[in-house]
Coordinates of all heavy atoms in Angstrom, one line a residue:
M34 N 35.2 81.8 44.7 CA 35.9 82.1 45.9 C 36.5 83.4 45.8 O 37.1 83.8 44.8 CB 37.0 81.0 46.1 CG 37.4 80.9 47.5 SD 38.7 79.6 47.7 CE 37.7 78.3 48.4
T35 N 36.5 84.2 46.9 CA 37.1 85.5 46.9 C 38.3 85.6 47.8 O 38.5 84.8 48.7 CB 36.0 86.6 47.4 OG1 35.7 86.2 48.7 CG2 34.8 86.6 46.5
T36 N 39.1 86.6 47.6 CA 40.3 86.9 48.4 C 39.8 87.5 49.7 O 39.0 88.4 49.8 CB 41.2 87.9 47.7 OG1 41.5 87.3 46.4 CG2 42.5 88.0 48.5
P37 N 40.4 86.9 50.9 CA 40.0 87.5 52.2 C 40.5 88.9 52.3 O 41.5 89.3 51.7 CB 40.6 86.6 53.2 CG 41.7 85.8 52.4 CD 41.3 85.8 51.0
P38 N 39.8 89.8 53.0 CA 40.2 91.2 53.2 C 41.5 91.2 54.0 O 41.9 90.3 54.7 CB 39.1 91.8 54.0 CG 38.4 90.7 54.7 CD 38.6 89.5 53.8
Y39 N 42.2 92.3 53.8 CA 43.5 92.6 54.5 C 43.2 92.7 56.0 O 42.3 93.4 56.4 CB 44.1 93.9 54.0 CG 45.4 94.3 54.8 CD1 46.5 93.5 54.7 CD2 45.3 95.3 55.7 CE1 47.7 93.9 55.4 CE2 46.4 95.6 56.5 CZ 47.6 94.9 56.3 OH 48.7 95.3 57.1
Q40 N 44.0 92.0 56.8 CA 43.9 92.0 58.2 C 45.3 92.5 58.8 O 46.3 91.8 58.6 CB 43.5 90.6 58.8 CG 42.2 90.2 58.3 CD 41.9 88.8 58.8 OE1 42.7 88.1 59.5 NE2 40.7 88.3 58.6
P41 N 45.3 93.6 59.5 CA 46.6 94.1 60.0 C 47.1 93.0 61.0 O 46.4 92.4 61.7 CB 46.2 95.4 60.8 CG 44.8 95.7 60.2 CD 44.2 94.5 59.7
G42 N 48.4 92.9 61.0 CA 49.1 92.0 61.9 C 49.3 90.6 61.3 O 50.0 89.8 61.8
Y43 N 48.7 90.3 60.1 CA 48.9 89.1 59.4 C 49.7 89.3 58.2 O 49.4 90.2 57.4 CB 47.6 88.4 59.1 CG 46.8 88.0 60.3 CD1 45.9 88.8 60.9 CD2 47.1 86.7 60.9 CE1 45.2 88.4 62.0 CE2 46.4 86.3 62.0 CZ 45.4 87.1 62.6 OH 44.8 86.7 63.7
P44 N 50.7 88.5 57.9 CA 51.5 88.7 56.7 C 50.7 88.4 55.4 O 49.8 87.5 55.4 CB 52.6 87.6 56.8 CG 52.2 86.7 57.8 CD 51.2 87.3 58.7
Q45 N 50.9 89.2 54.4 CA 50.2 89.0 53.2 C 51.0 88.2 52.2 O 52.3 88.3 52.3 CB 49.9 90.4 52.5 CG 49.0 91.3 53.4 CD 47.6 90.6 53.6 OE1 47.0 90.2 52.6 NE2 47.2 90.5 54.8
P46 N 50.5 87.4 51.4 CA 51.3 86.6 50.5 C 52.1 87.4 49.6 O 51.7 88.4 49.0 CB 50.2 85.8 49.7 CG 48.9 85.9 50.4 CD 49.0 87.2 51.3
G47 N 53.4 87.1 49.5 CA 54.3 87.8 48.6 C 55.0 89.0 49.2 O 55.8 89.6 48.7
Y48 N 54.6 89.3 50.5 CA 55.1 90.5 51.1 C 55.7 90.1 52.5 O 54.9 89.8 53.4 CB 54.1 91.6 51.3 CG 53.5 92.1 50.0 CD1 52.3 91.7 49.5 CD2 54.3 93.1 49.3 CE1 51.8 92.2 48.3 CE2 53.8 93.6 48.1 CZ 52.6 93.1 47.6 OH 52.1 93.6 46.5
P49 N 57.0 90.1 52.7 CA 57.5 89.7 54.0 C 57.2 90.7 55.0 O 57.1 91.9 54.7 CB 59.0 89.7 53.7 CG 59.3 90.5 52.5 CD 58.0 90.4 51.7
Q50 N 56.9 90.3 56.2 CA 56.5 91.2 57.2 C 57.6 91.5 58.2 O 58.4 90.7 58.5 CB 55.3 90.6 58.0 CG 54.9 91.5 59.1 CD 53.4 91.5 59.3 OE1 52.7 91.0 58.5 NE2 53.0 92.0 60.4
G51 N 57.7 92.7 58.6 CA 58.6 93.1 59.7 C 60.0 93.5 59.1 O 60.2 93.6 57.9
V52 N 60.8 93.8 60.1 CA 62.2 94.2 59.8 C 63.1 93.0 60.1 O 62.9 92.3 61.0 CB 62.5 95.4 60.6 CG1 63.9 95.9 60.4 CG2 61.6 96.6 60.3
S53 N 64.2 93.0 59.4 CA 65.2 91.9 59.6 C 65.8 92.0 61.0 O 65.9 93.1 61.6 CB 66.3 92.0 58.5 OG 67.3 91.0 58.8
D54 N 66.3 90.9 61.5 CA 67.1 90.9 62.7 C 68.6 91.3 62.4 O 69.3 91.5 63.4 CB 67.0 89.6 63.4 CG 67.5 88.4 62.6 OD1 67.6 88.6 61.3 OD2 67.9 87.4 63.1
K55 N 68.9 91.5 61.2 CA 70.3 91.8 60.8 C 70.4 93.4 60.8 O 69.5 94.1 60.4 CB 70.6 91.3 59.4 CG 70.5 89.8 59.3 CD 71.5 89.1 60.1 CE 71.3 87.6 59.8 NZ 72.1 86.8 60.6
S56 N 71.6 93.9 61.2 CA 71.8 95.3 61.3 C 72.4 95.9 60.0 O 73.3 95.3 59.4 CB 72.7 95.6 62.4 OG 73.2 96.9 62.4
K57 N 71.9 97.0 59.5 CA 72.4 97.7 58.4 C 73.8 98.2 58.6 O 74.7 98.1 57.7 CB 71.5 98.9 58.1 CG 71.9 99.8 57.0 CD 70.9 100.9 56.7 CE 71.0 102.0 57.6 NZ 70.2 103.2 57.2
I58 N 74.1 98.6 59.8 CA 75.4 99.1 60.2 C 76.5 98.0 60.1 O 77.5 98.2 59.5 CB 75.4 99.8 61.5 CG1 74.5 101.1 61.5 CG2 76.8 100.2 62.0 CD1 74.2 101.7 62.8
V59 N 76.1 96.9 60.7 CA 77.1 95.7 60.7 C 77.3 95.3 59.3 O 78.5 95.0 58.9 CB 76.5 94.6 61.6 CG1 77.4 93.3 61.4 CG2 76.5 95.0 63.0
A60 N 76.3 95.2 58.5 CA 76.4 94.7 57.1 C 77.3 95.7 56.3 O 78.1 95.3 55.5 CB 75.0 94.6 56.4
G61 N 77.1 97.0 56.5 CA 77.9 98.0 55.8 C 79.3 97.9 56.1 O 80.2 98.0 55.3
I62 N 79.6 97.9 57.4 CA 81.0 97.8 57.9 C 81.7 96.5 57.4 O 82.8 96.6 57.0 CB 81.1 97.9 59.5 CG1 80.5 99.3 59.9 CG2 82.5 97.7 60.0 CD1 81.2 100.5 59.4
L63 N 81.0 95.4 57.5 CA 81.6 94.2 57.0 C 81.8 94.3 55.5 O 82.9 93.8 55.0 CB 80.6 93.0 57.3 CG 80.6 92.4 58.7 CD1 79.5 91.4 58.8 CD2 81.9 91.9 59.1
G64 N 80.9 94.9 54.8 CA 81.1 95.1 53.3 C 82.4 96.0 53.0 O 83.1 95.7 52.1
I65 N 82.6 97.0 53.8 CA 83.7 97.9 53.6 C 85.0 97.2 54.0 O 86.0 97.3 53.2 CB 83.5 99.2 54.4 CG1 82.3 100.0 53.7 CG2 84.8 100.1 54.4 CD1 81.9 101.2 54.6
L66 N 85.0 96.6 55.2 CA 86.3 96.1 55.7 C 86.6 94.7 55.1 O 87.8 94.4 54.9 CB 86.2 96.0 57.2 CG 86.1 97.3 57.9 CD1 86.0 97.1 59.4 CD2 87.2 98.3 57.6
L67 N 85.6 93.9 54.9 CA 85.9 92.5 54.4 C 85.1 92.2 53.1 O 84.7 91.0 52.9 CB 85.5 91.5 55.5 CG 86.2 91.6 56.9 CD1 85.6 90.7 57.9 CD2 87.7 91.3 56.7
G68 N 84.9 93.2 52.3 CA 84.2 93.0 51.1 C 84.9 92.1 50.1 O 84.2 91.5 49.3
T69 N 86.2 91.9 50.2 CA 86.9 91.0 49.4 C 86.4 89.6 49.5 O 86.3 88.8 48.6 CB 88.4 91.0 49.8 OG1 88.9 92.4 49.6 CG2 89.2 90.1 48.9
F70 N 86.0 89.3 50.8 CA 85.5 87.9 51.1 C 84.0 87.8 51.0 O 83.4 86.8 51.4 CB 86.0 87.5 52.5 CG 87.5 87.7 52.6 CD1 88.0 88.7 53.4 CD2 88.3 86.8 51.9 CE1 89.4 88.8 53.6 CE2 89.7 87.0 52.0 CZ 90.2 88.0 52.9
G71 N 83.3 88.9 50.7 CA 81.8 88.9 50.6 C 81.1 88.8 52.0 O 80.0 88.4 52.1
A72 N 81.9 89.3 53.0 CA 81.4 89.1 54.4 C 80.0 89.8 54.6 O 79.2 89.3 55.3 CB 82.4 89.6 55.4
G73 N 79.8 91.0 54.1 CA 78.6 91.7 54.3 C 77.4 91.0 53.7 O 76.3 90.9 54.3
R74 N 77.6 90.4 52.5 CA 76.5 89.6 51.9 C 76.3 88.2 52.6 O 75.2 87.8 52.7 CB 76.8 89.4 50.4 CG 76.8 90.7 49.6 CD 75.4 91.2 49.7 NE 75.2 92.4 48.9 CZ 74.1 92.9 48.4 NH1 73.0 92.3 48.8 NH2 74.0 93.9 47.7
F75 N 77.4 87.6 53.1 CA 77.2 86.4 53.8 C 76.4 86.7 55.1 O 75.5 85.9 55.5 CB 78.5 85.8 54.2 CG 79.1 84.9 53.2 CD1 80.4 85.2 52.7 CD2 78.5 83.8 52.7 CE1 81.0 84.4 51.7 CE2 79.1 83.0 51.7 CZ 80.3 83.2 51.3
Y76 N 76.7 87.8 55.7 CA 75.9 88.2 56.9 C 74.5 88.4 56.7 O 73.6 88.0 57.5 CB 76.6 89.5 57.5 CG 75.8 90.1 58.6 CD1 75.8 89.6 59.9 CD2 75.1 91.3 58.5 CE1 75.2 90.1 61.0 CE2 74.4 91.9 59.5 CZ 74.4 91.3 60.8 OH 73.7 91.8 61.8
T77 N 74.1 89.0 55.6 CA 72.7 89.2 55.3 C 72.0 88.0 54.7 O 70.8 88.0 54.5 CB 72.5 90.4 54.3 OG1 73.2 90.2 53.1 CG2 73.0 91.7 54.9
G78 N 72.7 87.0 54.3 CA 72.2 85.7 53.8 C 72.2 85.6 52.3 O 71.6 84.7 51.8
H79 N 72.8 86.6 51.6 CA 72.8 86.5 50.1 C 74.1 85.8 49.8 O 75.1 86.3 49.3 CB 72.9 87.9 49.6 CG 71.7 88.7 49.8 ND1 71.6 89.7 50.8 CD2 70.4 88.7 49.3 CE1 70.4 90.3 50.8 NE2 69.7 89.6 49.9
T80 N 74.1 84.4 49.9 CA 75.3 83.6 49.7 C 75.8 83.6 48.2 O 77.0 83.6 48.0 CB 75.1 82.2 50.2 OG1 73.9 81.7 49.6 CG2 74.9 82.2 51.7
K81 N 74.9 83.6 47.3 CA 75.3 83.6 45.9 C 76.1 84.9 45.5 O 77.1 84.8 44.9 CB 74.1 83.4 44.9 CG 73.5 82.1 45.0 CD 72.3 82.0 44.1 CE 71.6 80.7 44.2 NZ 70.4 80.6 43.4
I82 N 75.6 86.0 46.0 CA 76.3 87.3 45.7 C 77.6 87.3 46.4 O 78.7 87.7 45.9 CB 75.5 88.5 46.1 CG1 74.2 88.5 45.2 CG2 76.3 89.8 45.9 CD1 73.2 89.6 45.6
A83 N 77.6 86.8 47.7 CA 78.9 86.7 48.5 C 79.9 85.9 47.8 O 81.1 86.3 47.7 CB 78.6 86.2 49.9
V84 N 79.6 84.7 47.3 CA 80.5 83.8 46.7 C 81.0 84.5 45.4 O 82.2 84.4 45.1 CB 79.9 82.4 46.4 CG1 80.8 81.6 45.5 CG2 79.6 81.7 47.7
L85 N 80.1 85.2 44.7 CA 80.5 85.9 43.4 C 81.5 87.0 43.8 O 82.5 87.2 43.0 CB 79.3 86.4 42.7 CG 79.5 87.0 41.3 CD1 80.1 85.9 40.4 CD2 78.2 87.5 40.8
Q86 N 81.3 87.7 44.9 CA 82.3 88.8 45.3 C 83.6 88.1 45.6 O 84.7 88.7 45.2 CB 81.8 89.5 46.5 CG 80.7 90.5 46.2 CD 80.3 91.3 47.4 OE1 80.3 90.7 48.6 NE2 79.8 92.5 47.3
L87 N 83.6 87.0 46.2 CA 84.9 86.3 46.6 C 85.6 85.9 45.3 O 86.8 86.1 45.2 CB 84.6 85.1 47.5 CG 85.8 84.3 47.9 CD1 86.8 85.1 48.7 CD2 85.3 83.1 48.7
V88 N 84.9 85.3 44.4 CA 85.5 84.8 43.1 C 86.1 85.9 42.3 O 87.2 85.9 41.8 CB 84.5 83.9 42.3 CG1 85.0 83.6 40.9 CG2 84.2 82.6 43.1
V89 N 85.3 87.0 42.2 CA 85.7 88.2 41.4 C 87.0 88.8 42.0 O 87.9 89.1 41.3 CB 84.6 89.2 41.3 CG1 85.2 90.6 40.8 CG2 83.5 88.7 40.4
S90 N 87.0 88.8 43.4 CA 88.2 89.4 44.0 C 89.5 88.5 43.8 O 90.6 89.0 43.6 CB 88.0 89.5 45.5 OG 87.0 90.5 45.8
L91 N 89.3 87.2 43.8 CA 90.4 86.3 43.6 C 90.9 86.3 42.1 O 92.1 86.3 41.8 CB 90.0 84.8 43.9 CG 89.8 84.5 45.4 CD1 89.2 83.1 45.6 CD2 91.1 84.7 46.2
V92 N 89.9 86.3 41.2 CA 90.3 86.3 39.7 C 91.0 87.6 39.3 O 91.9 87.6 38.5 CB 89.0 86.1 38.9 CG1 89.2 86.3 37.4 CG2 88.5 84.7 39.1
T93 N 90.6 88.7 39.9 CA 91.1 90.0 39.6 C 92.3 90.4 40.5 O 92.7 91.6 40.5 CB 90.1 91.1 39.6 OG1 89.6 91.2 41.0 CG2 88.9 90.9 38.7
C94 N 92.8 89.5 41.2 CA 94.0 89.7 42.1 C 93.7 90.8 43.1 O 94.6 91.6 43.4 CB 95.2 90.0 41.3 SG 95.7 88.6 40.3
G95 N 92.5 90.9 43.6 CA 92.2 91.8 44.7 C 91.5 93.1 44.2 O 90.9 93.8 45.0
F96 N 91.5 93.4 42.9 CA 90.8 94.6 42.4 C 89.3 94.5 42.6 O 88.6 95.5 42.7 CB 91.2 94.9 41.0 CG 92.6 95.4 40.8 CD1 93.6 94.6 40.2 CD2 93.0 96.6 41.3 CE1 94.9 95.1 40.1 CE2 94.3 97.1 41.1 CZ 95.2 96.3 40.5
G97 N 88.8 93.3 42.6 CA 87.4 93.1 42.8 C 86.9 93.5 44.2 O 85.7 93.6 44.5
A98 N 87.8 93.7 45.1 CA 87.5 94.2 46.5 C 86.8 95.5 46.4 O 86.0 95.8 47.4 CB 88.7 94.3 47.3
L99 N 87.0 96.3 45.4 CA 86.3 97.6 45.3 C 84.8 97.4 45.2 O 84.0 98.2 45.7 CB 86.7 98.3 44.0 CG 86.3 99.7 43.7 CD1 86.7 100.6 44.9 CD2 86.8 100.2 42.4
W100 N 84.3 96.3 44.7 CA 82.9 95.9 44.6 C 82.3 95.9 46.1 O 81.3 96.4 46.4 CB 82.7 94.6 43.9 CG 81.2 94.1 43.8 CD1 80.1 94.8 44.2 CD2 80.8 92.9 43.4 NE1 79.0 94.0 44.0 CE2 79.4 92.8 43.5 CE3 81.5 91.7 42.9 CZ2 78.7 91.7 43.1 CZ3 80.7 90.6 42.6 CH2 79.3 90.6 42.7
G101 N 83.1 95.2 47.0 CA 82.6 95.1 48.4 C 82.6 96.4 49.1 O 81.7 96.7 49.9
V102 N 83.6 97.3 48.8 CA 83.6 98.6 49.4 C 82.4 99.4 49.0 O 81.7 100.0 49.8 CB 84.9 99.3 49.1 CG1 84.9 100.7 49.6 CG2 86.1 98.5 49.7
I103 N 82.2 99.4 47.7 CA 81.0 100.2 47.2 C 79.7 99.6 47.7 O 78.8 100.3 48.1 CB 81.1 100.2 45.6 CG1 82.3 101.0 45.2 CG2 79.8 100.8 45.1 CD1 82.5 100.9 43.7
D104 N 79.6 98.3 47.7 CA 78.4 97.6 48.2 C 78.2 98.0 49.7 O 77.1 98.3 50.1 CB 78.6 96.1 48.1 CG 77.3 95.3 48.3 OD1 76.3 95.9 47.9 OD2 77.4 94.2 48.7
G105 N 79.2 98.0 50.5 CA 79.1 98.4 51.9 C 78.6 99.8 52.1 O 77.8 100.1 53.0
I106 N 79.2 100.7 51.3 CA 78.8 102.1 51.4 C 77.3 102.3 51.0 O 76.5 103.0 51.6 CB 79.7 103.0 50.5 CG1 81.1 103.0 51.1 CG2 79.1 104.4 50.4 CD1 82.1 103.7 50.2
L107 N 76.9 101.6 49.9 CA 75.5 101.6 49.5 C 74.5 101.1 50.5 O 73.4 101.6 50.7 CB 75.3 100.9 48.2 CG 75.9 101.6 47.0 CD1 75.8 100.8 45.7 CD2 75.2 103.0 46.7
I108 N 74.9 100.0 51.2 CA 74.1 99.5 52.3 C 74.0 100.5 53.4 O 72.9 100.7 54.0 CB 74.7 98.1 52.8 CG1 74.5 97.0 51.7 CG2 74.0 97.7 54.1 CD1 75.1 95.7 52.1
L109 N 75.1 101.1 53.8 CA 75.0 102.1 54.9 C 74.1 103.3 54.5 O 73.4 103.8 55.3 CB 76.4 102.6 55.2 CG 77.2 101.7 56.0 CD1 78.7 102.2 56.2 CD2 76.6 101.4 57.4
V110 N 74.2 103.8 53.2 CA 73.5 104.9 52.8 C 72.0 104.6 52.5 O 71.1 105.3 53.0 CB 74.1 105.6 51.6 CG1 73.3 106.7 51.0 CG2 75.5 106.1 51.9
N111 N 71.8 103.6 51.7 CA 70.4 103.3 51.2 C 69.7 102.2 52.0 O 68.5 102.0 51.8 CB 70.5 102.9 49.7 CG 71.0 103.9 48.8 OD1 70.8 105.1 49.1 ND2 71.6 103.6 47.7
G112 N 70.4 101.5 52.8 CA 69.9 100.3 53.5 C 69.9 99.1 52.5 O 70.6 99.2 51.5
G113 N 69.3 98.1 52.9 CA 69.4 96.8 52.1 C 68.4 95.9 52.7 O 67.5 96.2 53.5
T114 N 68.4 94.7 52.2 CA 67.5 93.6 52.6 C 68.2 92.4 53.0 O 69.4 92.2 52.6 CB 66.5 93.3 51.5 OG1 67.2 92.8 50.4 CG2 65.6 94.5 51.1
D115 N 67.6 91.5 53.8 CA 68.2 90.2 54.1 C 67.7 89.3 53.0 O 67.0 89.6 52.0 CB 67.8 89.8 55.5 CG 66.3 89.5 55.7 OD1 65.5 89.6 54.7 OD2 65.9 89.2 56.8
A116 N 68.0 88.0 53.2 CA 67.7 87.0 52.1 C 66.2 86.8 52.0 O 65.8 86.3 50.9 CB 68.4 85.7 52.5
Q117 N 65.4 87.1 53.0 CA 64.0 86.9 52.9 C 63.3 88.2 52.4 O 62.1 88.2 52.3 CB 63.4 86.6 54.3 CG 63.7 85.2 54.8 CD 65.1 85.1 55.3 OE1 65.7 86.0 55.9 NE2 65.7 83.9 55.1
G118 N 64.1 89.2 52.0 CA 63.5 90.4 51.5 C 63.0 91.5 52.5 O 62.5 92.5 52.1
R119 N 63.3 91.2 53.8 CA 63.0 92.2 54.8 C 64.0 93.3 54.9 O 65.2 93.0 54.8 CB 62.8 91.5 56.2 CG 61.8 90.4 56.2 CD 61.8 89.7 57.5 NE 63.1 89.0 57.6 CZ 63.4 88.2 58.6 NH1 62.6 88.0 59.6 NH2 64.6 87.6 58.7
P120 N 63.6 94.5 55.1 CA 64.6 95.6 55.2 C 65.5 95.4 56.5 O 65.0 94.9 57.5 CB 63.8 96.9 55.3 CG 62.4 96.4 55.6 CD 62.3 95.0 55.2
L121 N 66.8 95.8 56.4 CA 67.7 95.7 57.5 C 67.4 96.7 58.5 O 67.0 97.8 58.2 CB 69.2 95.9 57.0 CG 69.7 94.9 56.0 CD1 71.1 95.2 55.5 CD2 69.7 93.5 56.6
R122 N 67.5 96.4 59.8 CA 67.2 97.4 60.8 C 68.3 98.4 60.9 O 69.5 98.2 60.5 CB 67.0 96.7 62.2 CG 68.2 95.9 62.7 CD 67.8 95.2 64.0 NE 68.9 94.3 64.4 CZ 69.9 94.6 65.1 NH1 70.1 95.9 65.5 NH2 70.9 93.7 65.4
D123 N 68.0 99.6 61.5 CA 69.0 100.7 61.5 C 70.0 100.6 62.5 O 71.1 101.2 62.4 CB 68.2 102.0 61.7 CG 67.4 102.4 60.4 OD1 67.8 102.0 59.3 OD2 66.4 103.1 60.6
S124 N 69.8 99.8 63.6 CA 70.8 99.8 64.7 C 71.5 98.5 64.7 O 71.2 97.5 64.1 CB 70.2 100.1 66.0 OG 69.1 99.2 66.3

């Protein structure tokens, strides 16, 4: 049995197709303003990272909020992905 040839318009196994319905700008702003609560990561569907951001912020008495701010800036500058691995849209 052989692998079928690539057909444009059809998703390939292991490669998510398309762009996320989540916005890079919204994710970045949520990360900067509400990074203490992991809001940017909850928005993109990365719940494990979001819960970890929340726990780190609580354990460090708020100093862990810096992680959310840096994360939000990186999402705005470099972009990011949603939980399915699709790139966030620009608008």
Side-chain angles (χ1 to χ4, degrees):
M34 203 178 258
T35 62
T36 304
Y39 172 74
Q40 296 176 356
Y43 292 95
Q45 297 299 308
Y48 296 100
Q50 178 144 344
V52 178
S53 175
D54 58 338
K55 306 293 183 183
S56 170
K57 174 174 80 169
I58 296 170
V59 173
I62 298 297
L63 283 172
I65 292 170
L66 297 178
L67 298 171
T69 304
F70 308 109
R74 290 299 184 159
F75 276 121
Y76 173 72
T77 60
H79 296 105
T80 53
K81 290 179 183 177
I82 296 174
V84 169
L85 190 59
Q86 282 181 330
L87 178 61
V88 169
V89 167
S90 294
L91 292 173
V92 169
T93 61
C94 298
F96 288 110
L99 187 60
W100 178 11
V102 172
I103 293 170
D104 194 32
I106 292 170
L107 288 174
I108 288 173
L109 286 173
V110 173
N111 297 331
T114 60
D115 65 5
Q117 288 77 35
R119 299 174 298 182
L121 299 175
R122 63 182 169 87
D123 288 331
S124 57

